[in-house]
Amino acid sequence: MFWQTSRHLIDLSRPRVMGIVNVTPDSFFDGGRHLASDAARAHCDRLVQEGADMLDVGGESTRPGAQAPSVQEEIDRVLPVLEHACTLGVPVSVDTSSPALMRAALNAQADIVNDVRALRRPGALEVVAGHPSCGVCLMHMLGEDPATMQQAPVYDDVVAEVAAFLQERMHTLQRAGVSAQRVVLDPGIGFGKTGPHNWELMQRQAEFARLGRPLLVGWSRKSMLGVLIKREASERLPASLAAALAAVQRGAHIVRVHDVAATVDALAVWRRSGLAP
Ligand code: 7PJ
C-alpha cells in the first residue's frame, strides 16, 4: 500500500514512524516564541537522526480544556518550524484544523495535512482539494471541540461508528476531487472516547482494514495508558512502545509517536522476529 503526498510517494509495505514535533510555547513572554521555535527546529533534526520516517508539526494543544491559539498565533508558531522540517528529506505533515495554516504550510512544501477534525472546518476541504497531490490524514473525533469531547462520550458500537465517520469523510473528499491514494485514516485514540472505547478500538483495529486505506494511530503517552499502568506521561515510554507494537501487529501502517529512537528499535526487533502480519 502507498500514500501519495506532495513530494513523496510513501511506501507502507513496512510500518512507518511519524515523529511528533510540538510548537506550543509555555511562556507568553516575547522571547518565548523564538525559544520555542529554536527548540522545535532542533527537535526536528533529532527525530530525523533517530530514524523518523516522517515529521508531524503542530501548534494547537488538543488537551481537553486547552485554550486554542488564534489563527495568526498558530501560523506564527508553526510555519518557521515547518519550513525547516521541509529541508530534512522526510515527508512533513502539518497538524492543524486551520485552513489558513494548511494553505501556508502547503505553499511552504509541506507534504501532508493531518487534521484531528478531518477537514470539517469551513474552507479546509477546499484547501486540500485545491492542491494537486498533498496527502491527508483524516482523524475521528466525537464532535469538533476538544474542550467538550470527553464529556461522557457514548457509542452504540464505537468501531462501527468511527469507521462509518471515516468512510463518509473519505467519500466527501473523493467527491471534491481528492483521490483515495492521498488519504490515510485514523481512529483518533483519546478524542471523545472513554478508556474502554479506546481499548475496543485497539482490540478490533483489524476491522478498519475493510476501509481500504492505510491506518495511522497515536497512542504515544496518552492518558488511557496512564490509567492502565498508573504512571504520569513522562513514565509511559514502555507502555507506549507496547501499544505501538500491538497496533502494528493489528495492521496499523503508521504510528505517531514522541519517542522515535525507542519506537524504531522496537519495530526493528518486531520485524526481524517475523511477526509482521
Ligand atoms: C493525534 C493527532 C492522533 C493524529 C494528536 C497527543 C494529542 N493526530 N494529534 N492522531 N493526537 N492523526 O498527541 O497526545 O492520535 S495531539
Side-chain angles (χ1 to χ4, degrees):
M1 197 127 46
F2 288 88
W3 188 10
Q4 177 64 56
T5 74
S6 303
R7 299 174 300 168
H8 299 263
L9 181 63
I10 303 174
D11 176 3
L12 298 174
S13 59
R14 66 176 177 85
R16 300 290 174 176
V17 174
M18 171 183 271
I20 300 170
V21 179
N22 278 320
V23 202
T24 44
D26 43 19
S27 161
F28 45 76
F29 295 112
D30 268 4
R33 180 186 294 159
H34 294 289
L35 294 175
S37 98
D38 283 354
R41 272 188 285 257
H43 198 59
C44 293
D45 298 347
R46 174 176 163 183
L47 296 187
V48 170
Q49 278 164 12
E50 289 181 355
D53 295 298
M54 58 195 93
L55 295 178
D56 185 39
V57 182
E60 184 203 0
S61 172
T62 47
R63 259 180 299 119
Q67 181 82 38
S70 73
V71 170
Q72 194 55 49
E73 174 67 23
E74 193 189 353
I75 293 175
D76 290 346
R77 275 185 204 173
V78 169
L79 207 56
V81 179
L82 197 107
E83 285 170 350
H84 174 71
C86 285
T87 67
L88 300 178
V90 298
V92 175
S93 67
V94 60
D95 186 350
T96 189
S97 298
S98 155
L101 177 52
M102 291 176 191
R103 188 175 293 108
L106 292 174
N107 285 337
Q109 306 285 293
D111 297 280
I112 298 157
V113 171
N114 171 30
D115 183 5
V116 299
R117 295 177 183 80
L119 307 183
R120 284 180 287 172
R121 284 238 178 111
L125 192 147
E126 288 78 1
V127 173
V128 170
H131 190 282
S133 62
C134 72
V136 57
C137 177
L138 299 175
M139 196 197 81
H140 174 271
M141 168 163 62
L142 189 66
E144 299 188 34
D145 184 2
T148 56
M149 68 186 178
Q150 288 301 104
Q151 289 169 8
V154 175
Y155 301 84
D156 251 358
D157 179 335
V158 65
V159 175
E161 288 167 44
V162 168
F165 171 88
L166 294 174
Q167 183 154 50
E168 189 278 322
R169 292 308 294 160
M170 181 161 64
H171 286 161
T172 298
L173 260 70
Q174 285 177 278
R175 284 195 299 275
V178 179
S179 67
Q181 285 71 23
R182 295 168 58 184
V183 178
V184 153
L185 304 174
D186 183 338
I189 298 306
F191 285 83
K193 284 108 182 165
T194 64
H197 291 142
N198 292 309
W199 292 112
E200 188 167 358
L201 287 166
M202 171 74 89
Q203 288 160 13
R204 297 172 56 198
Q205 189 191 274
E207 295 178 34
F208 289 100
R210 70 170 176 78
L211 297 175
R213 289 305 300 153
L215 212 60
L216 186 156
V217 290
W219 284 83
S220 185
R221 299 190 198 166
K222 282 183 179 170
S223 64
M224 73 293 301
L225 300 176
V227 170
L228 182 73
I229 58 169
K230 301 185 178 59
R231 290 190 202 283
E232 294 306 312
S234 63
E235 294 178 341
R236 294 177 193 160
L237 172 58
S240 299
L241 292 175
L245 291 182
V248 297
Q249 186 70 44
R250 290 244 163 77
H253 298 81
I254 302 162
V255 286
R256 181 181 177 279
V257 304
H258 299 91
D259 303 282
V260 167
T263 306
V264 166
D265 282 3
L267 283 173
V269 174
W270 174 85
R271 289 190 69 215
R272 190 67 182 85
S273 304
L275 279 168

